[in-house]
Each structure stands twice: as C-alpha cells, then as structure tokens.
Amino acid sequence: MPYNYTSGGTAELKLGDATYQLPILVGTEGEKAVDIRKLRAQTGYITLDSGFANTGSCASSITFLDGEHGILSYRGYAIEDLAEHCSFVEVAYLLAHGSLPTRQELTCFSHMLGKYALIHEDMIRFFDGFPANSPPMAILSSMVNSLCSFYPEMLDNPLENIDKMAARLISKVRTIAAFSYKKSMGQPLVYPRHDLSYCANFLNMMFDSPVQPYVINDTVVAALNKLLILHGDHEQNCSTATVRVAGSARVNLYASISAGINALWGPLHGGANQAVMEMLQLIHNEGGNYKKYIERAKDPNDPFRLVGFGHRVYKTHDPRSRIIKKACDDVLAALNIADPLLDIAKELEEVALKDSYFVERHLYPNVDFYSGIIYRAIGIPTNMFTVMFALGRLPGWIAHWKEMWDDPDWRISRPRQVYVGPRRRPFVPLDQRAG
Ligand code: ACO
C-alpha cells in the first residue's frame, strides 16, 4: 500500500449467489473505508452516492476533520493552536509543505510573497473590461485563470516550480482582490508594500487612499489573520473537490484554482457568508422579527433555510465558529461598534440552539455565521465576503492540487451514473415528428 493505511480486514459483499471480499482500509486517525476500487471490474456493479457523502475520493495527509466531535486539524496541528499562535503565512506554508516553517523558511517564504505581490501591468487593464457591477468572484476566477498566460513557466514542471507558483498565487490573489475593490469604487489602486505583513498589506491595499491614509489596527489585523487561517482548508469540500477533479485531467494549477473559485461562489458553500449578511439585513429591515424566519426555516413547505446553520460534515459545533465568535467580539469592542445585525445573529443563535427542529437535525452555527459580521465591521463590502473566503482557502486548494498531482493512485476523476432516461428507440426524421 503506497499510503499510511493499515489493514482493517475485509468486508463481505453478497450479490445473488456470489460473495466478494472487499478490503477495509484504516487511516491514521482511525477512519475506516471499504475499498471498492475493484468492485465494478469484479462484480459489474457500481455504488450510488449522490453528493458523495459516503465516498472517499482520495487519500490525503493535509486535514483531518471529525464532524461528530467537532475536531479539525491541519497536518496534525489543532486548529485552535494554529489560530492562536500562527500567522496566516505560517499556516499557508504548513498546508503547502506539510511542516511548520523554521524561522529561516518563514523569512524566505515571506520574501517570496513580497517579491511576487505585483500583477503584470497588462493584467490591470483587464479590470477595465468588466462592467461596473460585475460580481467580484467572476473577476477573481477570470483573473486567476489568466495568470497562466502571464506566468507560464510552471506548465512544464509543475511540482518543481510549486513553491514559486504557490507564493505567486497566494500573493497575487490578495492583490487582485484589493484591486478589484478599488476599481469597483472608482478609486486609484494602492500597490502592495514590502514592509507590511500579509494581512496588514491587504487591508492597506483595500482602504488606503491619497486623501485618507489607512490606519492599521492590530486587533483588525489579528482577526483577519484568524479568519484566513480558519478558512485555510477543510478537506474534500465542494470547491477543493472541484480543484482536484479539474486538476485530475492534468490541467494547470491556475485553471484548477479558478474552477475551485467558481464552486466556492455558490450560496450553499462559500457564498453563504454573504447570504448570512443579506438574511440578517432583511430581518433587520423588517423590524428584527427573527422568530418569523425560524418558523419559515422549519416549515417543510418553505424552501427558506436559516443561512449560516448546518453543515454537511459537522454534526456538533463547528470548532471554527467558536474562535470566530471570540474574534468578532474583539473587533467590535476595538472599533467600538454596536451592530444591530450582530444582536439579531446572537438572538437567532440562542433560539435555534434550543429549538428541537435544529437540535434533532444537529444544525449548529457554521463558520459563515460570524465571519460576515467581522468583515462588515472592518469595512469589507458584502459582495467581497466570498472573495475573502477564497483568499483563506487558497493554500488548501494549492496543497490538494499538489497532493493530487503527486498521488501514486492518481486517475482522472470520472464518476459513473445510473442511467434512467429513455431506452434505445428508433430515430424519427424531422419531417415525420408529431406536432
Ligand atoms: N435551515 C433549516 N433547515 C435546515 C438547514 C438550515 N440551514 N440546513 C439543513 N436543514 C434541514 C434540512 O431541511 C433537512 O431536514 P429534513 O431532514 O426534515 O428534510 C435536514 O436539516 C438535513 O439537511 P440536508 O440538506 O440533508 O443537509 P446537507 O448536509 O445536505 O446540507 C448544508 C448541508 C448545505 C450546509 C445545509 O445545512 C444548508 O443549506 N445550510 C445553509 C447554507 C449554509 O450555511 N451553507 C454554508 C455551509 S459551510 C461552508 O460551506 C463553508
């Protein structure tokens, strides 16, 4: 076995008169999997698993998550420790390289981030081609895709150049995000600075202006740092799976990440942080009657869902939301902000956590529930929230792409289906078709 699995014996599958032995593999944290890789060849059967909720698509050594117990770790380190003690740049290095950087490695990586922070001046003209109200996620995915035209050296030996590509992406996506905001505001671009940390540099590019210099606030920088770390990776979520699926066709890193950005855009995934804010604003505009929305969320005939609640994997508190909630309180206190939307969020949380509908279905606040309030407090517009998520998730996407590219078990992703359409039938020429 090329991976660190241990054998858990075999599972027996009976199909008619035949019995098949399927290997059981056990991961390093005790997760068990029935290995069905030879199932179709041996039996002619496939498995059906809509949404892949029971399907392991790869072995991975990046992130461990136990949704039943609310545990999350990157490369073996608890998310709580990383959020408390690390910078986002350290965690990005950890995700991409597998180990925490030494002081010298961190200096070298930070130097690369500084060196690659500019985007080609020709790319800046792209921003002018987008209509004024373009969704920032559309701009981001297009710009990231076009990076491969400007920086093509990685196309031949991607793994040899992965450090450079990772640093380029992590640094340039920050610049692209800030520039897209400045363009949308009709303000002059603020170029990256060599002397600022990753997060402070981003905030400065976003909010500094020739007429109103931006004052960097340490509590805000610390909260952004935490948010990005907490979003760094989350194993095989929708956008990461998309990056791996696209990359499995051996498409380049930039194109794969661009595909991931588009998946993240969806309101059931990364778009939820924006949707939370819109929901809280709606409740506020209607006089703060949050109970009506709780009732709507519970009504089986109403498609409305309480955004920011529930998670495909966590069936208890999302460990990230606890940390974010604390960071949220710190930011609001440091900036002296009283936010009525936060009050509604707290009331919603309190009621939902006691309500049997939410309790029975294990619907707890997820990572998006409080992140939007922090972003709003530090001045990031609602339509940029998902861009912020992408900024945080980028190191995870890169780590997964790299792992997939180097995977000894790699095969192009190509799921099967159960066909339920019309059976084969005779072709009818156009002039003989009824109607
Ligand atoms: N509000 C009300 N009811 C809900 C909610 C919600 N937010 N989430 C799930 N439910 C209900 C479902 O209606 C279903 O009820 P039923 O058993 O009576 O039919 C039950 O809980 C199970 O829900 P599923 O849809 O099976 O859960 P699934 O794992 O497929 O979906 C998801 C997870 C998409 C996150 C869902 O909880 C949801 O839509 N939440 C709101 C959107 C959101 O916050 N997304 C962000 C996720 S975090 C992230 O991507 C970073």
Side-chain angles (χ1 to χ4, degrees), residues 189-235:
L189 302 181
V190 176
Y191 279 71
R193 270 173 44 185
H194 220 282
D195 57 325
L196 295 178
S197 72
Y198 185 90
C199 291
N201 211 344
F202 172 72
L203 291 165
N204 191 63
M205 279 192 268
M206 286 283 289
F207 301 121
D208 190 47
S209 106
V211 289
Q212 199 168 15
Y214 181 65
V215 180
I216 293 166
N217 178 308
D218 289 345
T219 309
V220 171
V221 171
L224 180 59
N225 192 58
K226 276 195 177 50
L227 276 172
L228 297 185
I229 290 173
L230 296 174
H231 283 97
D233 192 43
H234 215 230
E235 51 121 289

mmCIF file of all heavy atoms in Angstrom, residues 189-235:
data_model
loop_
_atom_site.group_PDB
_atom_site.id
_atom_site.type_symbol
_atom_site.label_atom_id
_atom_site.label_comp_id
_atom_site.label_asym_id
_atom_site.label_seq_id
_atom_site.Cartn_x
_atom_site.Cartn_y
_atom_site.Cartn_z
ATOM 1 N N LEU A 189 -5.601 52.684 -7.563
ATOM 2 C CA LEU A 189 -5.083 51.442 -6.983
ATOM 3 C C LEU A 189 -4.006 51.768 -5.953
ATOM 4 O O LEU A 189 -3.251 52.725 -6.120
ATOM 5 C CB LEU A 189 -4.467 50.568 -8.078
ATOM 6 C CG LEU A 189 -5.390 50.183 -9.233
ATOM 7 C CD1 LEU A 189 -4.650 49.288 -10.229
ATOM 8 C CD2 LEU A 189 -6.644 49.475 -8.713
ATOM 9 N N VAL A 190 -3.988 50.964 -4.892
ATOM 10 C CA VAL A 190 -2.914 51.103 -3.900
ATOM 11 C C VAL A 190 -2.030 49.866 -4.053
ATOM 12 O O VAL A 190 -2.508 48.733 -3.911
ATOM 13 C CB VAL A 190 -3.490 51.182 -2.472
ATOM 14 C CG1 VAL A 190 -2.361 51.215 -1.449
ATOM 15 C CG2 VAL A 190 -4.396 52.399 -2.328
ATOM 16 N N TYR A 191 -0.751 50.080 -4.373
ATOM 17 C CA TYR A 191 0.145 48.949 -4.636
ATOM 18 C C TYR A 191 0.613 48.308 -3.320
ATOM 19 O O TYR A 191 0.619 48.952 -2.272
ATOM 20 C CB TYR A 191 1.328 49.434 -5.488
ATOM 21 C CG TYR A 191 0.956 49.513 -6.949
ATOM 22 C CD1 TYR A 191 0.091 50.498 -7.419
ATOM 23 C CD2 TYR A 191 1.410 48.561 -7.852
ATOM 24 C CE1 TYR A 191 -0.296 50.556 -8.751
ATOM 25 C CE2 TYR A 191 1.032 48.615 -9.193
ATOM 26 C CZ TYR A 191 0.187 49.602 -9.633
ATOM 27 O OH TYR A 191 -0.207 49.631 -10.944
ATOM 28 N N PRO A 192 0.977 47.012 -3.422
ATOM 29 C CA PRO A 192 1.442 46.318 -2.203
ATOM 30 C C PRO A 192 2.712 46.957 -1.654
ATOM 31 O O PRO A 192 3.509 47.522 -2.395
ATOM 32 C CB PRO A 192 1.720 44.894 -2.702
ATOM 33 C CG PRO A 192 1.702 44.943 -4.185
ATOM 34 C CD PRO A 192 0.968 46.159 -4.607
ATOM 35 N N ARG A 193 2.872 46.829 -0.327
ATOM 36 C CA ARG A 193 4.067 47.379 0.323
ATOM 37 C C ARG A 193 4.912 46.251 0.894
ATOM 38 O O ARG A 193 4.390 45.279 1.423
ATOM 39 C CB ARG A 193 3.629 48.319 1.465
ATOM 40 C CG ARG A 193 3.465 49.744 0.980
ATOM 41 C CD ARG A 193 2.888 50.647 2.014
ATOM 42 N NE ARG A 193 3.457 50.498 3.356
ATOM 43 C CZ ARG A 193 2.981 51.159 4.410
ATOM 44 N NH1 ARG A 193 1.961 51.987 4.278
ATOM 45 N NH2 ARG A 193 3.516 50.990 5.604
ATOM 46 N N HIS A 194 6.213 46.445 0.827
ATOM 47 C CA HIS A 194 7.149 45.415 1.246
ATOM 48 C C HIS A 194 7.220 45.293 2.769
ATOM 49 O O HIS A 194 7.517 44.234 3.319
ATOM 50 C CB HIS A 194 8.533 45.768 0.689
ATOM 51 C CG HIS A 194 9.262 44.578 0.188
ATOM 52 N ND1 HIS A 194 9.889 43.701 1.021
ATOM 53 C CD2 HIS A 194 9.432 44.092 -1.061
ATOM 54 C CE1 HIS A 194 10.422 42.730 0.322
ATOM 55 N NE2 HIS A 194 10.160 42.945 -0.958
ATOM 56 N N ASP A 195 6.906 46.388 3.455
ATOM 57 C CA ASP A 195 7.154 46.441 4.897
ATOM 58 C C ASP A 195 5.964 45.974 5.733
ATOM 59 O O ASP A 195 6.024 45.993 6.953
ATOM 60 C CB ASP A 195 7.507 47.885 5.291
ATOM 61 C CG ASP A 195 6.412 48.861 4.876
ATOM 62 O OD1 ASP A 195 5.791 48.646 3.811
ATOM 63 O OD2 ASP A 195 6.160 49.823 5.617
ATOM 64 N N LEU A 196 4.877 45.563 5.096
ATOM 65 C CA LEU A 196 3.689 45.174 5.877
ATOM 66 C C LEU A 196 3.492 43.665 5.861
ATOM 67 O O LEU A 196 3.846 42.988 4.895
ATOM 68 C CB LEU A 196 2.438 45.854 5.295
ATOM 69 C CG LEU A 196 2.372 47.381 5.390
ATOM 70 C CD1 LEU A 196 1.107 47.900 4.720
ATOM 71 C CD2 LEU A 196 2.422 47.832 6.851
ATOM 72 N N SER A 197 2.860 43.161 6.941
ATOM 73 C CA SER A 197 2.542 41.730 6.997
ATOM 74 C C SER A 197 1.473 41.423 5.945
ATOM 75 O O SER A 197 0.839 42.331 5.399
ATOM 76 C CB SER A 197 2.011 41.368 8.385
ATOM 77 O OG SER A 197 0.703 41.906 8.539
ATOM 78 N N TYR A 198 1.247 40.137 5.685
ATOM 79 C CA TYR A 198 0.299 39.736 4.633
ATOM 80 C C TYR A 198 -1.067 40.397 4.830
ATOM 81 O O TYR A 198 -1.618 41.009 3.916
ATOM 82 C CB TYR A 198 0.168 38.207 4.642
ATOM 83 C CG TYR A 198 -0.690 37.676 3.520
ATOM 84 C CD1 TYR A 198 -0.139 37.347 2.291
ATOM 85 C CD2 TYR A 198 -2.070 37.524 3.683
ATOM 86 C CE1 TYR A 198 -0.925 36.884 1.249
ATOM 87 C CE2 TYR A 198 -2.855 37.068 2.650
ATOM 88 C CZ TYR A 198 -2.281 36.739 1.437
ATOM 89 O OH TYR A 198 -3.076 36.291 0.418
ATOM 90 N N CYS A 199 -1.608 40.281 6.042
ATOM 91 C CA CYS A 199 -2.966 40.794 6.281
ATOM 92 C C CYS A 199 -2.995 42.317 6.308
ATOM 93 O O CYS A 199 -3.901 42.947 5.753
ATOM 94 C CB CYS A 199 -3.527 40.231 7.594
ATOM 95 S SG CYS A 199 -3.870 38.483 7.485
ATOM 96 N N ALA A 200 -1.982 42.925 6.956
ATOM 97 C CA ALA A 200 -1.936 44.397 7.020
ATOM 98 C C ALA A 200 -1.798 44.967 5.608
ATOM 99 O O ALA A 200 -2.428 45.979 5.265
ATOM 100 C CB ALA A 200 -0.775 44.837 7.897
ATOM 101 N N ASN A 201 -1.008 44.298 4.785
ATOM 102 C CA ASN A 201 -0.803 44.736 3.410
ATOM 103 C C ASN A 201 -2.131 44.706 2.634
ATOM 104 O O ASN A 201 -2.471 45.640 1.905
ATOM 105 C CB ASN A 201 0.195 43.777 2.751
ATOM 106 C CG ASN A 201 1.044 44.466 1.707
ATOM 107 O OD1 ASN A 201 0.720 45.557 1.246
ATOM 108 N ND2 ASN A 201 2.129 43.826 1.336
ATOM 109 N N PHE A 202 -2.877 43.638 2.832
ATOM 110 C CA PHE A 202 -4.179 43.528 2.143
ATOM 111 C C PHE A 202 -5.110 44.668 2.576
ATOM 112 O O PHE A 202 -5.716 45.348 1.742
ATOM 113 C CB PHE A 202 -4.825 42.175 2.443
ATOM 114 C CG PHE A 202 -6.232 42.083 1.928
ATOM 115 C CD1 PHE A 202 -6.472 41.972 0.571
ATOM 116 C CD2 PHE A 202 -7.321 42.153 2.792
ATOM 117 C CE1 PHE A 202 -7.776 41.925 0.079
ATOM 118 C CE2 PHE A 202 -8.614 42.099 2.315
ATOM 119 C CZ PHE A 202 -8.841 41.985 0.942
ATOM 120 N N LEU A 203 -5.190 44.877 3.894
ATOM 121 C CA LEU A 203 -6.097 45.929 4.397
ATOM 122 C C LEU A 203 -5.670 47.295 3.879
ATOM 123 O O LEU A 203 -6.505 48.123 3.512
ATOM 124 C CB LEU A 203 -6.115 45.916 5.932
ATOM 125 C CG LEU A 203 -6.791 44.690 6.553
ATOM 126 C CD1 LEU A 203 -6.442 44.576 8.033
ATOM 127 C CD2 LEU A 203 -8.305 44.735 6.373
ATOM 128 N N ASN A 204 -4.365 47.506 3.806
ATOM 129 C CA ASN A 204 -3.863 48.791 3.315
ATOM 130 C C ASN A 204 -4.199 48.973 1.833
ATOM 131 O O ASN A 204 -4.620 50.051 1.410
ATOM 132 C CB ASN A 204 -2.349 48.868 3.545
ATOM 133 C CG ASN A 204 -1.828 50.256 3.303
ATOM 134 O OD1 ASN A 204 -2.211 51.188 4.001
ATOM 135 N ND2 ASN A 204 -0.982 50.426 2.290
ATOM 136 N N MET A 205 -4.047 47.902 1.050
ATOM 137 C CA MET A 205 -4.382 47.993 -0.389
ATOM 138 C C MET A 205 -5.876 48.248 -0.591
ATOM 139 O O MET A 205 -6.295 48.892 -1.535
ATOM 140 C CB MET A 205 -3.998 46.700 -1.105
ATOM 141 C CG MET A 205 -2.544 46.608 -1.464
ATOM 142 S SD MET A 205 -2.273 45.237 -2.609
ATOM 143 C CE MET A 205 -1.900 43.925 -1.511
ATOM 144 N N MET A 206 -6.667 47.726 0.320
ATOM 145 C CA MET A 206 -8.123 47.904 0.221
ATOM 146 C C MET A 206 -8.541 49.328 0.599
ATOM 147 O O MET A 206 -9.379 49.941 -0.059
ATOM 148 C CB MET A 206 -8.846 46.954 1.188
ATOM 149 C CG MET A 206 -8.889 45.503 0.798
ATOM 150 S SD MET A 206 -10.096 45.150 -0.484
ATOM 151 C CE MET A 206 -11.655 45.350 0.342
ATOM 152 N N PHE A 207 -7.988 49.828 1.701
ATOM 153 C CA PHE A 207 -8.612 51.002 2.324
ATOM 154 C C PHE A 207 -7.760 52.274 2.341
ATOM 155 O O PHE A 207 -8.250 53.326 2.721
ATOM 156 C CB PHE A 207 -9.046 50.654 3.753
ATOM 157 C CG PHE A 207 -10.025 49.517 3.798
ATOM 158 C CD1 PHE A 207 -9.752 48.358 4.509
ATOM 159 C CD2 PHE A 207 -11.214 49.587 3.078
ATOM 160 C CE1 PHE A 207 -10.655 47.300 4.536
ATOM 161 C CE2 PHE A 207 -12.114 48.531 3.098
ATOM 162 C CZ PHE A 207 -11.842 47.384 3.823
ATOM 163 N N ASP A 208 -6.494 52.162 1.968
ATOM 164 C CA ASP A 208 -5.688 53.389 1.958
ATOM 165 C C ASP A 208 -6.114 54.245 0.757
ATOM 166 O O ASP A 208 -6.528 53.707 -0.281
ATOM 167 C CB ASP A 208 -4.204 53.035 1.842
ATOM 168 C CG ASP A 208 -3.332 54.257 2.072
ATOM 169 O OD1 ASP A 208 -3.586 54.982 3.045
ATOM 170 O OD2 ASP A 208 -2.421 54.497 1.256
ATOM 171 N N SER A 209 -6.059 55.550 0.921
ATOM 172 C CA SER A 209 -6.371 56.419 -0.220
ATOM 173 C C SER A 209 -5.549 57.699 -0.086
ATOM 174 O O SER A 209 -5.141 58.065 1.018
ATOM 175 C CB SER A 209 -7.881 56.708 -0.268
ATOM 176 O OG SER A 209 -8.160 58.010 0.143
ATOM 177 N N PRO A 210 -5.290 58.374 -1.225
ATOM 178 C CA PRO A 210 -4.453 59.580 -1.159
ATOM 179 C C PRO A 210 -5.044 60.649 -0.256
ATOM 180 O O PRO A 210 -4.317 61.465 0.300
ATOM 181 C CB PRO A 210 -4.415 60.069 -2.614
ATOM 182 C CG PRO A 210 -4.894 58.935 -3.444
ATOM 183 C CD PRO A 210 -5.720 58.057 -2.581
ATOM 184 N N VAL A 211 -6.381 60.630 -0.091
ATOM 185 C CA VAL A 211 -6.982 61.692 0.726
ATOM 186 C C VAL A 211 -7.260 61.236 2.156
ATOM 187 O O VAL A 211 -7.565 62.034 3.029
ATOM 188 C CB VAL A 211 -8.302 62.217 0.089
ATOM 189 C CG1 VAL A 211 -8.001 63.016 -1.149
ATOM 190 C CG2 VAL A 211 -9.270 61.085 -0.206
ATOM 191 N N GLN A 212 -7.225 59.912 2.388
ATOM 192 C CA GLN A 212 -7.495 59.418 3.739
ATOM 193 C C GLN A 212 -6.599 58.216 4.035
ATOM 194 O O GLN A 212 -6.992 57.066 3.775
ATOM 195 C CB GLN A 212 -8.971 59.020 3.859
ATOM 196 C CG GLN A 212 -9.416 58.936 5.285
ATOM 197 C CD GLN A 212 -10.924 58.822 5.384
ATOM 198 O OE1 GLN A 212 -11.606 58.530 4.402
ATOM 199 N NE2 GLN A 212 -11.455 59.047 6.552
ATOM 200 N N PRO A 213 -5.406 58.481 4.573
ATOM 201 C CA PRO A 213 -4.492 57.358 4.835
ATOM 202 C C PRO A 213 -5.136 56.341 5.785
ATOM 203 O O PRO A 213 -5.854 56.733 6.716
ATOM 204 C CB PRO A 213 -3.276 58.021 5.472
ATOM 205 C CG PRO A 213 -3.396 59.466 5.155
ATOM 206 C CD PRO A 213 -4.853 59.765 4.970
ATOM 207 N N TYR A 214 -4.901 55.069 5.510
ATOM 208 C CA TYR A 214 -5.495 53.998 6.328
ATOM 209 C C TYR A 214 -4.632 53.775 7.571
ATOM 210 O O TYR A 214 -3.410 53.667 7.484
ATOM 211 C CB TYR A 214 -5.567 52.712 5.510
ATOM 212 C CG TYR A 214 -6.188 51.550 6.246
ATOM 213 C CD1 TYR A 214 -7.521 51.575 6.638
ATOM 214 C CD2 TYR A 214 -5.424 50.417 6.546
ATOM 215 C CE1 TYR A 214 -8.089 50.504 7.321
ATOM 216 C CE2 TYR A 214 -5.998 49.335 7.226
ATOM 217 C CZ TYR A 214 -7.326 49.393 7.606
ATOM 218 O OH TYR A 214 -7.882 48.335 8.272
ATOM 219 N N VAL A 215 -5.299 53.718 8.724
ATOM 220 C CA VAL A 215 -4.568 53.455 9.969
ATOM 221 C C VAL A 215 -4.735 51.971 10.296
ATOM 222 O O VAL A 215 -5.857 51.487 10.470
ATOM 223 C CB VAL A 215 -5.129 54.320 11.127
ATOM 224 C CG1 VAL A 215 -4.369 54.044 12.413
ATOM 225 C CG2 VAL A 215 -5.058 55.796 10.748
ATOM 226 N N ILE A 216 -3.627 51.271 10.347
ATOM 227 C CA ILE A 216 -3.688 49.825 10.585
ATOM 228 C C ILE A 216 -3.951 49.554 12.063
ATOM 229 O O ILE A 216 -3.254 50.082 12.931
ATOM 230 C CB ILE A 216 -2.388 49.157 10.102
ATOM 231 C CG1 ILE A 216 -2.328 49.271 8.566
ATOM 232 C CG2 ILE A 216 -2.326 47.693 10.508
ATOM 233 C CD1 ILE A 216 -0.989 48.961 7.968
ATOM 234 N N ASN A 217 -4.993 48.746 12.305
ATOM 235 C CA ASN A 217 -5.386 48.431 13.682
ATOM 236 C C ASN A 217 -4.993 46.973 13.973
ATOM 237 O O ASN A 217 -5.393 46.053 13.255
ATOM 238 C CB ASN A 217 -6.916 48.625 13.790
ATOM 239 C CG ASN A 217 -7.449 48.274 15.155
ATOM 240 O OD1 ASN A 217 -7.188 47.197 15.676
ATOM 241 N ND2 ASN A 217 -8.215 49.184 15.731
ATOM 242 N N ASP A 218 -4.224 46.770 15.032
ATOM 243 C CA ASP A 218 -3.688 45.430 15.314
ATOM 244 C C ASP A 218 -4.778 44.399 15.577
ATOM 245 O O ASP A 218 -4.650 43.230 15.211
ATOM 246 C CB ASP A 218 -2.739 45.482 16.522
ATOM 247 C CG ASP A 218 -1.445 46.188 16.166
ATOM 248 O OD1 ASP A 218 -1.183 46.364 14.953
ATOM 249 O OD2 ASP A 218 -0.714 46.596 17.100
ATOM 250 N N THR A 219 -5.867 44.813 16.237
ATOM 251 C CA THR A 219 -6.950 43.852 16.525
ATOM 252 C C THR A 219 -7.610 43.411 15.220
ATOM 253 O O THR A 219 -7.962 42.236 15.040
ATOM 254 C CB THR A 219 -8.011 44.488 17.451
ATOM 255 O OG1 THR A 219 -7.343 45.055 18.558
ATOM 256 C CG2 THR A 219 -9.038 43.482 17.909
ATOM 257 N N VAL A 220 -7.766 44.349 14.291
ATOM 258 C CA VAL A 220 -8.365 44.018 12.992
ATOM 259 C C VAL A 220 -7.444 43.074 12.217
ATOM 260 O O VAL A 220 -7.891 42.065 11.650
ATOM 261 C CB VAL A 220 -8.651 45.320 12.188
ATOM 262 C CG1 VAL A 220 -9.051 45.000 10.766
ATOM 263 C CG2 VAL A 220 -9.741 46.131 12.877
ATOM 264 N N VAL A 221 -6.151 43.379 12.236
ATOM 265 C CA VAL A 221 -5.184 42.515 11.530
ATOM 266 C C VAL A 221 -5.226 41.109 12.148
ATOM 267 O O VAL A 221 -5.259 40.101 11.435
ATOM 268 C CB VAL A 221 -3.752 43.112 11.609
ATOM 269 C CG1 VAL A 221 -2.719 42.128 11.068
ATOM 270 C CG2 VAL A 221 -3.693 44.423 10.828
ATOM 271 N N ALA A 222 -5.273 41.053 13.489
ATOM 272 C CA ALA A 222 -5.287 39.741 14.163
ATOM 273 C C ALA A 222 -6.550 38.962 13.816
ATOM 274 O O ALA A 222 -6.501 37.744 13.586
ATOM 275 C CB ALA A 222 -5.184 39.933 15.675
ATOM 276 N N ALA A 223 -7.685 39.652 13.735
ATOM 277 C CA ALA A 223 -8.943 38.959 13.414
ATOM 278 C C ALA A 223 -8.916 38.443 11.976
ATOM 279 O O ALA A 223 -9.324 37.304 11.704
ATOM 280 C CB ALA A 223 -10.128 39.906 13.613
ATOM 281 N N LEU A 224 -8.402 39.255 11.059
ATOM 282 C CA LEU A 224 -8.329 38.814 9.663
ATOM 283 C C LEU A 224 -7.394 37.620 9.542
ATOM 284 O O LEU A 224 -7.683 36.640 8.839
ATOM 285 C CB LEU A 224 -7.856 39.975 8.776
ATOM 286 C CG LEU A 224 -7.733 39.651 7.287
ATOM 287 C CD1 LEU A 224 -9.066 39.192 6.715
ATOM 288 C CD2 LEU A 224 -7.232 40.862 6.506
ATOM 289 N N ASN A 225 -6.279 37.694 10.273
ATOM 290 C CA ASN A 225 -5.318 36.598 10.283
ATOM 291 C C ASN A 225 -5.999 35.292 10.719
ATOM 292 O O ASN A 225 -5.858 34.246 10.085
ATOM 293 C CB ASN A 225 -4.208 36.982 11.262
ATOM 294 C CG ASN A 225 -3.016 36.086 11.150
ATOM 295 O OD1 ASN A 225 -2.425 35.977 10.093
ATOM 296 N ND2 ASN A 225 -2.694 35.427 12.235
ATOM 297 N N LYS A 226 -6.796 35.375 11.783
ATOM 298 C CA LYS A 226 -7.509 34.192 12.293
ATOM 299 C C LYS A 226 -8.509 33.678 11.261
ATOM 300 O O LYS A 226 -8.611 32.476 11.005
ATOM 301 C CB LYS A 226 -8.267 34.537 13.575
ATOM 302 C CG LYS A 226 -7.433 34.469 14.819
ATOM 303 C CD LYS A 226 -8.358 34.469 16.049
ATOM 304 C CE LYS A 226 -7.610 34.331 17.354
ATOM 305 N NZ LYS A 226 -6.491 35.202 17.592
ATOM 306 N N LEU A 227 -9.263 34.612 10.690
ATOM 307 C CA LEU A 227 -10.283 34.204 9.711
ATOM 308 C C LEU A 227 -9.650 33.448 8.548
ATOM 309 O O LEU A 227 -10.157 32.411 8.122
ATOM 310 C CB LEU A 227 -11.020 35.432 9.164
ATOM 311 C CG LEU A 227 -12.173 35.949 9.999
ATOM 312 C CD1 LEU A 227 -12.679 37.270 9.444
ATOM 313 C CD2 LEU A 227 -13.324 34.949 10.006
ATOM 314 N N LEU A 228 -8.534 33.974 8.043
ATOM 315 C CA LEU A 228 -7.892 33.322 6.896
ATOM 316 C C LEU A 228 -7.375 31.943 7.295
ATOM 317 O O LEU A 228 -7.505 30.974 6.552
ATOM 318 C CB LEU A 228 -6.776 34.192 6.321
ATOM 319 C CG LEU A 228 -7.196 35.547 5.738
ATOM 320 C CD1 LEU A 228 -6.006 36.246 5.086
ATOM 321 C CD2 LEU A 228 -8.319 35.431 4.724
ATOM 322 N N ILE A 229 -6.797 31.850 8.502
ATOM 323 C CA ILE A 229 -6.302 30.544 8.974
ATOM 324 C C ILE A 229 -7.454 29.541 9.064
ATOM 325 O O ILE A 229 -7.359 28.405 8.616
ATOM 326 C CB ILE A 229 -5.607 30.679 10.353
ATOM 327 C CG1 ILE A 229 -4.294 31.436 10.207
ATOM 328 C CG2 ILE A 229 -5.376 29.312 11.002
ATOM 329 C CD1 ILE A 229 -3.612 31.781 11.532
ATOM 330 N N LEU A 230 -8.563 29.993 9.643
ATOM 331 C CA LEU A 230 -9.695 29.078 9.858
ATOM 332 C C LEU A 230 -10.302 28.611 8.542
ATOM 333 O O LEU A 230 -10.913 27.546 8.472
ATOM 334 C CB LEU A 230 -10.770 29.755 10.711
ATOM 335 C CG LEU A 230 -10.339 30.120 12.136
ATOM 336 C CD1 LEU A 230 -11.420 30.909 12.837
ATOM 337 C CD2 LEU A 230 -9.994 28.877 12.943
ATOM 338 N N HIS A 231 -10.144 29.415 7.506
ATOM 339 C CA HIS A 231 -10.668 29.022 6.199
ATOM 340 C C HIS A 231 -9.641 28.251 5.365
ATOM 341 O O HIS A 231 -9.950 27.807 4.257
ATOM 342 C CB HIS A 231 -11.113 30.265 5.412
ATOM 343 C CG HIS A 231 -12.430 30.805 5.865
ATOM 344 N ND1 HIS A 231 -12.542 31.847 6.738
ATOM 345 C CD2 HIS A 231 -13.696 30.432 5.579
ATOM 346 C CE1 HIS A 231 -13.823 32.097 6.975
ATOM 347 N NE2 HIS A 231 -14.536 31.247 6.278
ATOM 348 N N GLY A 232 -8.429 28.073 5.920
ATOM 349 C CA GLY A 232 -7.302 27.553 5.135
ATOM 350 C C GLY A 232 -7.553 26.253 4.414
ATOM 351 O O GLY A 232 -7.151 26.085 3.266
ATOM 352 N N ASP A 233 -8.207 25.302 5.081
ATOM 353 C CA ASP A 233 -8.512 24.044 4.388
ATOM 354 C C ASP A 233 -9.651 23.355 5.112
ATOM 355 O O ASP A 233 -9.898 23.613 6.297
ATOM 356 C CB ASP A 233 -7.286 23.120 4.335
ATOM 357 C CG ASP A 233 -7.529 21.958 3.373
ATOM 358 O OD1 ASP A 233 -8.072 22.201 2.280
ATOM 359 O OD2 ASP A 233 -7.205 20.803 3.722
ATOM 360 N N HIS A 234 -10.344 22.503 4.415
ATOM 361 C CA HIS A 234 -11.437 21.770 5.042
ATOM 362 C C HIS A 234 -11.668 20.467 4.299
ATOM 363 O O HIS A 234 -12.780 20.145 3.933
ATOM 364 C CB HIS A 234 -12.706 22.620 5.088
ATOM 365 C CG HIS A 234 -13.508 22.378 6.320
ATOM 366 N ND1 HIS A 234 -14.832 22.120 6.327
ATOM 367 C CD2 HIS A 234 -13.122 22.327 7.618
ATOM 368 C CE1 HIS A 234 -15.254 21.932 7.557
ATOM 369 N NE2 HIS A 234 -14.221 22.056 8.365
ATOM 370 N N GLU A 235 -10.648 19.767 4.090
ATOM 371 C CA GLU A 235 -10.557 18.512 3.309
ATOM 372 C C GLU A 235 -11.428 18.532 2.055
ATOM 373 O O GLU A 235 -11.365 19.483 1.305
ATOM 374 C CB GLU A 235 -10.650 17.275 4.217
ATOM 375 C CG GLU A 235 -11.807 17.183 5.209
ATOM 376 C CD GLU A 235 -12.647 15.942 4.972
ATOM 377 O OE1 GLU A 235 -13.349 15.925 3.940
ATOM 378 O OE2 GLU A 235 -12.647 15.040 5.845
#
